[in-house]
Structure formats: structure tokens, C-alpha cells
Amino acid sequence: QVQLVESGGGLVQAGGSLRLSCTTPPGTFSRYAMGWLRQAPGKEREFVAGLSPVGTYTYYGDAVRARFRISRDDAKNTLYLQMNSLMPDDTAAYYCATSSSGRYTKLADFVSWGQGTQVTVSL
């Protein structure tokens, strides 16, 4: 299991922005597609964003498309999730995740994730 460490969560007002980071062991990006998942209290885990193994192609969940952006920095072995125009419905624990199949467009593609970072959006 890949060790993934998320950071960057916090409390933000609606309309604000946050950038989440996920540090990974060297070589992770060459082996896995990457993604972000989230889970709000009392709800099922949800796919947020995915990034292809080559780091070129992205895919987003309907709820965040056009507001969130996934990216990575290969030199820093770090995955990012830039979140803009945040809404209270974005409140959740956010998880960095890996996909060994190379697929990255839905929740079932991801089989391993970190401990998560909490994002809370207030009105």
C-alpha cells in the first residue's frame, strides 16, 4: 500500500479557495493514476478528480467540474487539488488515492488512499 499524506484542509468561507496537497513516495506517479475522493458525514465516498498516469489527462466529478483542478509536481512527488468557488456542499474529508489499473474516472478505480484532510466550508 502506497503511503499518501494529505494536507491543506481547513475552514473557509463560501466562495473561497483552498489547495490540497498529497505527498507521495518517489516513483508513485510512474506506477499509478492518481485521484482525489471525498466523503461527507453520513454520505458515501465520492469521486472528485482523476489524473492519468502520464499526468496529462484529467477527469472530474459533475459536482466539481469547472471549479476544481487536479495537478501534480513530479519533482516534489506531490499531487494537488486546487479548489475554487467553494460551497458548503463541498464540506468533506478529502482523500488522495491511487489507481493501479491506470483508470481514473470513477470511484471504483481507486483502491488505496491516505488518511484524509478535512475541508469545511461555511456560509
Side-chain angles (χ1 to χ4, degrees):
Q1 186 165 346
V2 180
Q3 184 174 7
L4 307 169
V5 181
E6 302 93 337
S7 62
L11 175 63
V12 63
Q13 287 189 325
S17 298
L18 279 176
R19 188 178 77 160
L20 305 183
S21 300
C22 172
T23 57
T24 71
T28 298
F29 294 156
S30 65
R31 298 175 60 189
Y32 300 98
M34 301 296 297
W36 288 94
L37 314 175
R38 69 184 183 184
Q39 188 166 18
K43 295 186 178 181
E44 295 186 351
R45 192 161 293 186
E46 175 187 18
F47 169 79
V48 174
L51 183 67
S52 65
V54 296
T56 303
Y57 303 103
T58 59
Y59 193 81
Y60 297 92
D62 290 342
V64 307
R65 190 169 289 127
R67 298 188 297 122
F68 291 10
R69 180 175 177 270
I70 187 172
S71 63
R72 78 188 198 195
D73 185 325
D74 289 1
K76 296 182 178 180
N77 299 304
T78 301
L79 181 75
Y80 299 102
L81 184 69
Q82 177 66 44
M83 305 186 296
N84 300 323
S85 302
L86 283 161
M87 305 184 297
D89 283 351
D90 295 319
T91 295
Y94 283 73
Y95 301 89
C96 172
T98 60
S99 166
S100 58
S101 69
R103 294 186 288 269
Y104 56 94
T105 63
K106 59 185 184 296
L107 179 64
D109 292 336
F110 298 95
V111 297
S112 180
W113 43 83
Q115 294 300 307
T117 185
Q118 178 67 35
V119 172
T120 302
V121 184
S122 63
L123 288 170

